[in-house]
Amino acid sequence: MLNVQNLTKTFSDTTVVNAIDFTVGEKEIFALLGPSGCGKTTTLRLIAGFEKADHGKIELLGQPIGGKGTHVPPEKRGVGFVFQNYALFPHLSVIQNVAFGLKDLPKAKRMKRAEELLEMVRLQDLQHRSPQAMSGGEQQRVALARSMGPNPKLILLDEPFSSLDPELRESTRLEVHKLLKSVKMSAILVTHDTEEALSFADRIAVMRQGQIEQVGTPEEIYHKPETAFVANFLGQSNIIQGIADGRRVQTQLGQLQIESPAFGQVSVSIRPEHLVMETPNGGCVGTVCKRDFKGSDLTYEIDFNDHRCLVQTNYDCPVQVGQSVEVKAVESAVVVQEQT
Ligand code: ATP
């Protein structure tokens, strides 16, 4: 339903969005994930029409809405926007805030529609409150109701949960996800929070320095990273050099299986939870140099003189700092491109 091609935006002499391509499907929740300053919000603002693109095109349901030489005004794009700080009017009640986005409806219908929208986000009982007398999560649900008022085709969510404390963040996230799915709305979420993207999105585009490094489902991005950057951004990972010979690669940790065939010098990624420690038995021996207790699990750092690796175990693993161990893989590694 949304097709973005070769989208490029330069501020002064810095290209902050650099020839990116992606599509968002009907009813799909798509996330733009990446570190601060990588161009996520600028991409969202280009889709919303708050910025003009230098190159490329943006099509919504087959119609060009933005890109080089095309700029449909934001209010005519059929796109809703939810901001990080909710952007509610403090001097208006909740229902007045929602009704404000319904100016195209006759006055009589406006309040009825606003009530329906508040019912949808389960805030009908708080409709006469001031937004300032509500929790952050409730305010964000009001903002979502307001953005859905004009029946947009696509909702854009810019770090919508980042101002909420961790507990409220998770419950609001679940609630908003359920709601978007129940009304079959397509949405794009911008976030730098990996866990949020993994749990909220159907597909994720990982961005770095204005470009998209990889697009895929949360499982693909997590388990089959294509680059060392994606592997490390999505959680801890061991990036190890080796010589591949088809489905196996010879590394400093010994021989590892690899997901898809490769030959010659390669870098592979293997997650700490896919390695185990064993008593030395003729293989490559390392020394435990760090034991990091995380409550539900433990992360160990093993020193092999010329390199270190991380191993994640159950919380009750008895191995202590200073012990000698061998490290074995219990899952296949994935060949990745090194960072450039
Ligand atoms: P964050 O997670 O910190 O919001 P982001 O990935 O959303 O980061 P953007 O807000 O898109 O990143 O910004 C990308 C780069 O573009 C940053 O270096 C930012 O300073 C720069 N930038 C954004 N808007 C403008 C502007 N209007 N003028 C000049 N530079 C800008």
Side-chain angles (χ1 to χ4, degrees):
M1 62 97 58
L2 181 78
N3 185 11
V4 171
Q5 272 179 27
N6 193 33
L7 192 64
T8 302
K9 178 71 186 171
T10 299
F11 290 116
S12 312
D13 52 359
T14 311
T15 302
V16 300
V17 176
N18 193 353
I20 62 169
D21 300 313
F22 63 90
T23 57
V24 179
E26 293 281 352
K27 306 178 225 165
E28 184 176 42
I29 300 181
F30 189 83
L32 294 171
L33 171 70
S36 184
C38 71
K40 308 178 294 290
T41 296
T42 305
T43 304
L44 212 63
R45 290 174 60 80
L46 286 164
I47 296 167
F50 302 146
E51 302 285 355
K52 287 186 180 169
D54 298 321
H55 297 286
K57 64 176 177 185
I58 306 169
E59 285 175 358
L60 186 62
L61 294 174
Q63 300 298 316
I65 55 166
K68 192 173 165 68
T70 310
H71 188 77
V72 175
E75 65 281 6
K76 300 234 161 74
R77 292 191 174 200
V79 170
F81 206 99
V82 177
F83 298 89
Q84 178 176 348
N85 58 2
Y86 329 127
L88 299 175
F89 299 114
H91 60 286
L92 298 181
S93 68
V94 163
I95 192 150
Q96 286 167 333
N97 262 283
V98 177
F100 186 85
L102 302 169
K103 289 234 167 88
D104 289 346
L105 285 183
K107 211 170 179 186
K109 288 196 179 160
R110 220 179 285 167
M111 282 301 168
K112 181 152 186 312
R113 171 82 178 130
E115 277 172 20
E116 281 168 15
L117 289 160
L118 284 174
E119 212 166 301
M120 182 181 76
V121 295
R122 297 192 302 105
L123 287 174
Q124 63 273 35
D125 295 344
L126 303 184
Q127 58 178 281
H128 299 301
R129 274 224 192 142
S130 156
Q132 284 159 312
M134 301 178 98
S135 76
E138 288 164 345
Q139 289 184 55
Q140 195 52 293
R141 277 152 58 199
V142 176
L144 184 69
R146 185 179 61 183
S147 73
M148 285 192 172
N151 283 320
K153 299 163 192 132
L154 172 71
I155 291 270
L156 307 176
L157 305 147
D158 189 7
E159 302 266 8
F161 314 114
S162 59
S163 320
L164 306 174
D165 63 51
E167 215 170 287
L168 202 51
R169 193 179 305 167
E170 196 169 334
S171 58
T172 309
R173 189 167 82 200
L174 287 171
E175 184 122 15
V176 170
H177 183 270
K178 201 165 138 194
L179 188 86
L180 291 172
K181 288 294 175 194
S182 71
V183 296
K184 302 184 168 70
M185 178 65 74
S186 302
I188 304 179
L189 169 78
V190 153
T191 183
H192 61 267
D193 182 331
T194 302
E195 190 190 312
E196 187 165 293
L198 289 174
S199 78
F200 196 81
D202 300 313
R203 280 188 313 138
I204 300 170
V206 182
M207 288 187 73
R208 174 176 171 236
Q209 295 174 355
Q211 296 186 313
I212 291 180
E213 290 249 329
Q214 188 174 351
V215 180
T217 64
E219 289 79 7
E220 283 165 354
I221 296 276
Y222 187 82
H223 290 296
K224 295 180 184 169
E226 288 170 3
T227 67
F229 173 81
V230 172
N232 283 317
F233 196 76
L234 270 281
Q236 289 182 314
S237 186
N238 297 293
I239 306 294
I240 308 167
Q241 322 300 320
I243 308 288
D245 159 25
R247 290 278 180 163
R248 292 164 309 178
V249 56
Q250 196 59 44
T251 73
Q252 299 117 320
L253 291 183
Q255 200 174 73
L256 304 178
Q257 300 293 320
I258 42 179
E259 287 266 335
S260 4
F263 295 89
Q265 180 77 40
V266 291
S267 298
V268 295
S269 160
I270 186 153
R271 300 240 174 246
E273 64 266 32
H274 294 157
L275 294 175
V276 292
M277 293 178 292
E278 292 180 352
T279 309
N281 185 22
C284 186
V285 178
T287 308
V288 176
C289 58
K290 199 167 162 199
R291 184 180 190 265
D292 194 6
F293 179 64
K294 305 246 178 75
S296 58
D297 53 58
L298 280 163
T299 303
Y300 287 89
E301 195 170 321
I302 322 291
D303 183 9
F304 287 92
N305 287 328
D306 53 348
H307 73 285
R308 290 186 171 206
C309 83
L310 299 172
V311 178
Q312 191 181 321
T313 68
N314 280 344
Y315 69 92
D316 55 355
C317 178
V319 173
Q320 295 297 330
V321 170
Q323 239 173 283
S324 296
V325 290
E326 274 181 30
V327 170
K328 292 268 151 59
V330 288
E331 295 278 342
S332 299
V334 181
V335 175
V336 291
Q337 286 169 30
E338 277 287 3
Q339 246 147 276
T340 48

